[in-house]
Amino acid sequence: MILKARIMDTLGPFGQALDADNEPKEESYFQNVETGAGDQASDFEQRSNLQLLRQLISQALSGDTSTFASYGNENPENPADINNVAQRQRQRQQAARFTSDYYDPNEAAAQLSHLGVSLLIRFERLGSLDDVNNSIAQHQAAVSLTSDDHPDKPSRLSDLGNSLLARFTCLGNLDDIHSAIARHQEAVYLAPEDHPHKPRWLSNLGNSLGTRFKRLGNLHDIHDAVTRHQAAVDLTPDGHPNKHSRLSNLGSSLCTRFERLGNLDDINNAVIQYHAAVRHTPNGHINKPDLLNGLGNTLVTRFQRLGNMDDINDAVSQHQMAVSLTPDSHPQKPHRLNDLGNSLLVRFECLGHLVDLNNAIARHRAAINLTPDGHPDKSSHLCNLGSSLVARFKRLGNLVDIHSAIARYQAAADLIPESHPDKPSRLNNLGNSFIIRFTSLGDVDDINSAILQHQAAVNLTPDGHPDKSSRLSNLGSSLSTRFERFGDLDDIEQAIARKQLAVNLTPDGHPDKPRRYQIP
C-alpha cells in the first residue's frame, strides 16, 4: 500500500505530462558536444497513454521492472521527437523511483542519465530553462548513484558537464562554467588512456575551457583548450565517425586564440582543420552544413586580418551552402542564416555593394523570424540585425534605419541578464548606436544614453578581458563628444583618463593601438 500511495501521489502531474504525447516531430542536434547517448536522441514507438499508465502501475505494484529496464532503449536512425523523448525518459525515472526496493542503482543511474540527455536536447531546440535545470538535476543524481570504478562514471560526469556548460551559455553564472570544467576534468582523469571514448571527453573539456576563456580572458584556458582538442584529434583515427567534429573543435579553439593573440599560424591552422573536417564528411552527412558554416566563420576572421578577397568570397560561398543544405524546420537554420548575414555585411564593408548589405539585412531578419521567443540565440540575432541596419544608415542616411537599429540593440540587451557573458558587448553596441544618432540629430538624451551604456559595458567587463581596452576607448570617445557639445571640463578629463587606460591595456603591435591615442 505504501508503494501504491507513492505512485498515485505522483500521477497527477505525471498524467498531465503524458498529454503532450502527440506533438509533431522535430530535429534537434548537439553542436560541438558529444554525449554518451549519441548525436541524436531515440525516436520511440507511440503507445496509448492510458495503457502505459496502467502498465506502469501494475508492474510497479508487482515489482516487475522489466519494462522499466528495457523501455526506450531503442536507438533507430530517425530524427528525434524531442518532446516525446523527454517524456518517455521521465516515465523511466518515475519507474526507478517507484520501485527503488527492486531496482539496481546502476540501472537507475542509466535511466536518469538518458533523461538528462533528452532534456538537454529539448533545451537546445526550444530554450526552456526548466529543461536545462532538470537536465542538470538528473545528471547529478546519475553521477551520485555511480561509483568511481564503474565504467560509465566518466560518461556521466562528462554529460553533466555538458548540461552545466549549456546553462552557463544561457545565464552566464560563473559557478556553472567552473563546475562544468571540473566535471569534464574528472571524466578525463577517470578514463584509461586507451578508452575508446577518451577523445570525446577531451573534446568536451576543450569546449568548456574555450568558453571560460571567452568570458574571463585567462590565456591558460585557451592554451589548455587547444591542447585538449589536439589530443582528441590525435587519438581519433581517420575514418572514425566523429573525426570531423574533433577537427572542427580544434579549428574553433585555434581561431579563438588567434583573435586574442593575433598569431597568423593559429588562423591558418584553423582554416586547415576546418577544411580537413569538411573533407572527412561525406555529402549528405547531417553535420556537413555545420562544418561548412564553421569554415565560413574562420575564413571571415582571416579576411578581417589579411584582407584577401578570396577569403571573404569563399566565406560567403560556404555560408550559402550551409544555409541551402539546412531545411527551414532545422533548429540551426537561424544560426546559419545569421552567419551568412554577417559575412555579407563584412564583404559590403570592403566593396560597398548595396546588394550585399540588403541581403545581409534580409538574412538577419529571417534568422530572427525563425528563432522562437525565449531562445538563448535571440539576443545575438537581434544584435547582428542592428549592426547591418547601422551600416545601411551610414551609407544611405535613412533615419528609419538608425531608429530601428537602436530598437534592435535595446531588445538584444534587455533579453539577457547582467551576468551573461555577452551583456557588455550588447551594451557597448547600444552605446555606439546612440552616438551615431546624436551626431545626426543632436538630441542630448542620446549622448547621455551613450555614456551610460558605455560605462555599464566597462563596469561589466572583467579586468584582463581582451575587449576591456576597446570598451574604455568607446567610453572615452562618448565623453569627448559630450565635451565638444557642452564644454564641461570634467568630461574631457574623464575622456582622457579612459583613453589612457585603453592605450595602456592594448599590447604593442595591436592594429587598434594608434587609434586609441586619438581624442575625437
Side-chain angles (χ1 to χ4, degrees):
M1 293 302 294
I2 295 175
L3 181 58
K4 181 176 181 179
R6 288 172 62 196
I7 295 172
M8 300 310 295
D9 185 51
T10 60
L11 274 185
F14 184 53
Q16 293 172 8
L18 288 172
D19 289 339
D21 218 25
N22 296 317
E23 298 218 4
K25 295 186 176 182
E26 299 182 80
E27 291 181 327
S28 182
Y29 309 99
F30 286 113
Q31 299 300 316
N32 298 323
V33 170
E34 300 179 49
T35 73
D39 293 329
Q40 292 180 236
S42 303
D43 187 13
F44 302 139
E45 181 182 10
Q46 293 289 333
R47 302 188 184 191
S48 163
N49 291 345
L50 289 176
Q51 180 183 359
L52 179 60
L53 282 171
R54 292 191 189 101
Q55 183 181 9
L56 288 170
I57 294 169
S58 174
Q59 292 185 343
L61 289 173
S62 67
D64 177 7
T65 63
S66 59
T67 295
F68 307 140
S70 61
Y71 180 64
N73 283 335
E74 308 91 335
N75 189 22
E77 295 300 321
N78 294 329
D81 176 344
I82 53 178
N83 288 303
N84 200 35
V85 168
Q87 174 184 306
R88 297 304 193 191
Q89 298 288 8
R90 282 199 185 90
Q91 293 166 5
R92 298 166 75 179
Q93 179 196 26
Q94 294 287 343
R97 184 180 301 140
F98 296 156
T99 61
S100 58
D101 291 340
Y102 312 99
Y103 213 61
D104 179 358
N106 282 322
E107 180 60 23
Q111 311 292 5
L112 291 165
S113 182
H114 289 311
L115 172 60
V117 169
S118 302
L119 288 164
L120 182 57
I121 290 174
R122 190 165 68 179
F123 168 74
E124 295 284 353
R125 177 65 176 92
L126 302 178
S128 170
L129 281 175
D130 285 344
D131 279 339
V132 74
N133 288 335
N134 287 335
S135 175
I136 290 168
Q138 308 316 314
H139 283 311
Q140 287 172 329
V143 167
S144 68
L145 286 172
T146 308
S147 59
D148 285 347
D149 59 354
H150 192 280
D152 289 334
K153 184 71 174 246
S155 178
R156 290 168 189 166
L157 284 164
S158 192
D159 286 347
L160 172 56
N162 290 342
S163 294
L164 288 162
L165 176 60
R167 188 167 69 181
F168 169 76
T169 302
C170 184
L171 299 180
N173 187 326
L174 285 174
D175 287 343
D176 280 339
I177 189 60
H178 295 325
S179 294
I181 290 171
R183 301 295 83 74
H184 285 142
Q185 287 172 329
E186 286 180 71
V188 169
Y189 175 78
L190 287 175
E193 286 303 313
D194 59 350
H195 195 288
H197 298 318
K198 184 103 175 189
R200 173 201 302 157
W201 301 325
L202 283 164
S203 189
N204 288 340
L205 173 57
N207 287 337
S208 58
L209 287 163
T211 299
R212 187 168 69 181
F213 168 75
K214 290 177 181 178
R215 173 63 185 274
L216 299 179
N218 187 327
L219 283 172
H220 176 77
D221 279 341
I222 191 59
H223 292 320
D224 199 9
V226 170
T227 299
R228 303 297 180 169
H229 284 309
Q230 185 66 65
V233 168
D234 293 343
L235 288 172
T236 305
D238 290 341
H240 190 282
N242 287 324
K243 183 80 171 188
H244 63 270
S245 68
R246 290 161 195 167
L247 286 163
S248 68
N249 285 341
L250 174 57
S252 178
S253 62
L254 287 163
C255 187
T256 298
R257 189 167 69 180
F258 165 77
E259 290 170 343
R260 172 65 184 272
L261 298 178
N263 187 327
L264 283 174
D265 287 343
D266 277 342
I267 191 60
N268 289 331
N269 196 12
V271 172
I272 289 170
Q273 302 307 319
Y274 269 110
H275 272 300
V278 170
R279 188 172 61 252
H280 276 81
T281 309
N283 292 332
H285 192 284
I286 198 169
N287 290 334
K288 188 86 168 191
D290 188 55
L291 299 172
L292 291 166
N293 196 70
L295 174 58
N297 290 339
T298 308
L299 289 164
V300 167
T301 300
R302 188 166 70 177
F303 168 76
Q304 291 174 320
R305 172 64 182 273
L306 298 179
N308 186 328
M309 288 304 303
D310 288 343
D311 278 343
I312 190 59
N313 290 331
D314 195 12
V316 171
S317 295
Q318 303 300 327
H319 284 142
Q320 286 171 331
M321 282 192 286
V323 168
S324 67
L325 290 172
T326 308
D328 286 346
S329 60
H330 193 283
Q332 288 300 310
K333 184 71 174 242
H335 176 67
R336 291 165 193 165
L337 283 164
N338 179 73
D339 287 349
L340 173 57
N342 290 345
S343 61
L344 287 163
L345 178 59
V346 169
R347 189 165 71 178
F348 162 76
E349 291 170 343
C350 180
L351 299 178
H353 295 160
L354 276 175
V355 65
D356 278 341
L357 179 55
N358 289 329
N359 282 335
I361 291 171
R363 300 308 181 274
H364 285 145
R365 288 191 193 279
I368 291 169
N369 292 338
L370 287 174
T371 305
D373 291 339
H375 193 282
D377 289 339
K378 190 87 167 189
S379 173
S380 65
H381 298 337
L382 285 163
C383 185
N384 288 329
L385 174 58
S387 296
S388 58
L389 288 165
V390 164
R392 191 165 69 181
F393 171 73
K394 289 179 177 179
R395 173 67 180 272
L396 301 178
N398 188 333
L399 286 172
V400 171
D401 281 337
I402 190 61
H403 295 325
S404 184
I406 289 174
R408 299 309 186 279
Y409 281 138
Q410 186 69 67
D414 291 344
L415 281 176
I416 53 178
E418 294 291 301
S419 60
H420 194 284
D422 291 332
K423 187 76 168 189
S425 175
R426 303 286 187 268
L427 295 170
N428 183 70
N429 288 335
L430 179 57
N432 291 343
S433 64
F434 278 125
I435 284 283
I436 292 168
R437 190 166 69 179
F438 172 75
T439 302
S440 295
L441 300 179
D443 188 334
V444 67
D445 287 342
D446 279 341
I447 188 59
N448 289 335
S449 293
I451 292 169
L452 286 173
Q453 303 307 323
H454 283 146
Q455 185 65 66
V458 168
N459 293 345
L460 289 174
T461 304
D463 292 339
H465 192 282
D467 292 330
K468 185 85 169 188
S469 59
S470 66
R471 290 166 189 164
L472 282 163
S473 181
N474 287 338
L475 174 57
S477 295
S478 58
L479 287 162
S480 177
T481 299
R482 190 167 67 180
F483 167 75
E484 291 173 357
R485 174 68 182 273
F486 297 106
D488 188 334
L489 286 175
D490 184 60
D491 278 341
I492 193 61
E493 290 172 358
Q494 292 292 331
I496 292 170
R498 299 305 183 276
K499 285 284 188 178
Q500 186 62 61
L501 279 173
V503 168
N504 294 344
L505 290 174
T506 305
D508 292 339
H510 192 285
D512 291 334
K513 187 142 189 172
R515 184 169 59 85
R516 289 177 186 159
Y517 278 104
Q518 299 172 1
I519 301 292

